[in-house]
């Protein structure tokens, strides 16, 4: 399936007007497709498998900002630590402290988002509010120097019920306000929410980073 370059230009302009970061989710898609968007100026790309991401990192221009958006196993952090731009899917203290350890080894601070469970489905990873509170407290206490929290990420339920999706996004935005207020070290907290099916709704509810795959690259084959 060809990359939808026309839609990309539209979405890019829309995001710019709304001051929203567009992450193009390129998982399962070939290098050539990524390069098509790269040549139109896209620099933020999202992947959810460590091996696939690493192969693409090595094959592609080094000014791409790679976002890790899938479930990350602790033992794989070291593979992506040298180059990852933002790990969006931190859901445990164990993972965060490993990211800090690998950040130290690579002498760089690794930016992270905490993944929050907002959906009704049981399959989606993430923290509930109680776990978020415990994790943020712990992170403050430990004074980690090589991993830093930039905000929150969440995935809404896969449903056509707009009210439901809207409520879930609203919930994520409220958690961000409650735990980070208006800024984290002088920057607006990142609120990563919204995918192909629901990015407009997400932006209405306060998202400032959307992760869009299939609308740009076409439907993915089921793995
Ligand atoms: C695959 C994926 C996306 C993109 O999904 P589309 O519906 O193709 O836009 C966004 N976020 C996460 C966490 C994903 O795994």
């Amino acid at each position: 399936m060809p990359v939808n370059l026309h839609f990309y230009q539209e979405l890019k302009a829309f995001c710019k007007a709304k001051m929203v970061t567009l992450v193009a989710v390129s998982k399962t898609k070939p290098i050539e497709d990524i390069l098509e968007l790269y040549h139109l100026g896209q620099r933020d790309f999202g992947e959810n498998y460590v091996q696939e991401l690493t192969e693409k990192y090595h094959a592609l221009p080094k000014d791409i900002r790679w976002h890790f958006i899938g479930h990350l196993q602790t033992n794989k952090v070291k593979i992506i630590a040298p180059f990852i731009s933002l790990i969006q899917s931190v859901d445990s203290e164990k993972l965060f402290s490993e990211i800090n350890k690998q950040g130290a080894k690579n002498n760089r601070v690794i930016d992270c988002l905490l993944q929050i469970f907002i959906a009704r489905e049981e399959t989606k990873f993430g923290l509930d509010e109680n776990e978020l509170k415990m994790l943020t407290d712990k992170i403050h206490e430990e004074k980690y120097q090589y991993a830093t929290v930039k905000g929150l990420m969440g995935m809404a339920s896969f449903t056509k019920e707009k009210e439901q999706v809207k409520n879930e996004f609203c919930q994520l935005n409220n958690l961000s306000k409650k735990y980070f207020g208006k800024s984290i070290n002088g920057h607006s907290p990142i609120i990563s929410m919204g995918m192909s099916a629901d990015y407009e709704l997400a932006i209405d509810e306060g998202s400032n980073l959307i992760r869009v795959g299939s609308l740009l690259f076409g439907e993915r084959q089921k793995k």
Side-chain angles (χ1 to χ4, degrees):
M1 207 180 299
V3 183
N4 194 340
L5 300 179
H6 178 74
F7 177 74
Y8 170 68
Q9 299 284 23
E10 270 180 23
L11 186 60
K12 183 167 118 169
F14 178 73
C15 286
K16 194 172 172 204
K18 299 269 186 185
M19 296 195 293
V20 167
T21 302
L22 170 61
V23 174
V25 176
S26 48
K27 62 193 189 196
T28 78
K29 299 296 175 179
I31 301 289
E32 302 78 60
D33 288 8
I34 297 174
L35 277 175
E36 284 200 58
L37 291 193
Y38 179 85
H39 291 313
L40 295 179
Q42 181 64 23
R43 290 296 179 272
D44 291 278
F45 290 91
E47 291 283 338
N48 65 344
Y49 288 104
V50 167
Q51 192 187 337
E52 184 181 344
L53 166 61
T54 308
E55 284 166 15
K56 286 173 175 175
Y57 165 74
H58 286 294
L60 282 158
K62 292 298 167 287
D63 60 344
I64 288 179
R65 293 181 290 270
W66 290 105
H67 296 247
F68 195 81
I69 60 172
H71 185 64
L72 182 56
Q73 286 170 286
T74 313
N75 62 350
K76 299 213 166 138
V77 174
K78 60 177 177 296
I79 305 171
I80 61 171
F83 67 85
I84 196 72
S85 184
L86 182 64
I87 299 177
Q88 297 206 7
S89 44
V90 175
D91 59 1
S92 72
E93 147 82 6
K94 187 172 159 231
L95 180 57
F96 192 80
S97 99
E98 176 64 16
I99 294 169
N100 182 70
K101 185 173 145 195
Q102 297 302 329
K105 278 194 185 162
N106 288 277
N107 195 29
R108 62 188 296 256
V109 180
I110 301 177
D111 291 344
C112 297
L113 302 181
L114 305 180
Q115 183 170 355
I116 308 300
F117 178 82
I118 50 173
R120 270 184 185 161
E121 286 114 88
E122 282 182 15
T123 51
K124 286 176 184 164
F125 292 100
L127 308 158
D128 63 23
E129 178 168 1
N130 201 21
E131 292 164 333
L132 170 64
K133 184 174 183 334
M134 289 198 304
L135 183 53
T136 47
D137 285 350
K138 181 82 179 155
I139 288 171
H140 279 295
E141 234 173 74
E142 294 284 332
K143 298 190 171 50
Y144 291 112
Q145 296 200 38
Y146 294 95
T148 185
V149 175
K150 293 283 186 180
L152 302 179
M153 184 269 252
M155 280 166 95
S157 296
F158 186 72
T159 167
K160 288 207 163 67
E161 284 175 59
K162 283 202 168 174
E163 274 309 299
Q164 172 70 22
V165 173
K166 198 179 132 158
N167 287 340
E168 291 171 2
F169 287 147
C170 183
Q171 198 187 322
L172 191 70
N173 192 2
N174 286 338
L175 285 177
S176 175
K177 283 186 197 144
K178 183 168 169 185
Y179 287 91
F180 305 130
K182 282 201 163 67
S183 96
I184 303 176
N185 301 324
H187 297 275
S188 296
I190 297 174
I191 304 177
S192 171
M193 57 186 192
M195 321 191 345
S196 290
D198 54 21
Y199 71 90
E200 285 167 299
L201 209 53
I203 292 172
D204 287 344
E205 293 306 316
S207 167
N208 53 26
L209 184 153
I210 59 171
R211 311 174 308 269
V212 177
S214 40
L215 282 183
L216 296 170
F217 293 107
E219 293 295 328
R220 290 174 296 273
Q221 306 279 352
K222 293 265 180 289
K223 278 208 167 175

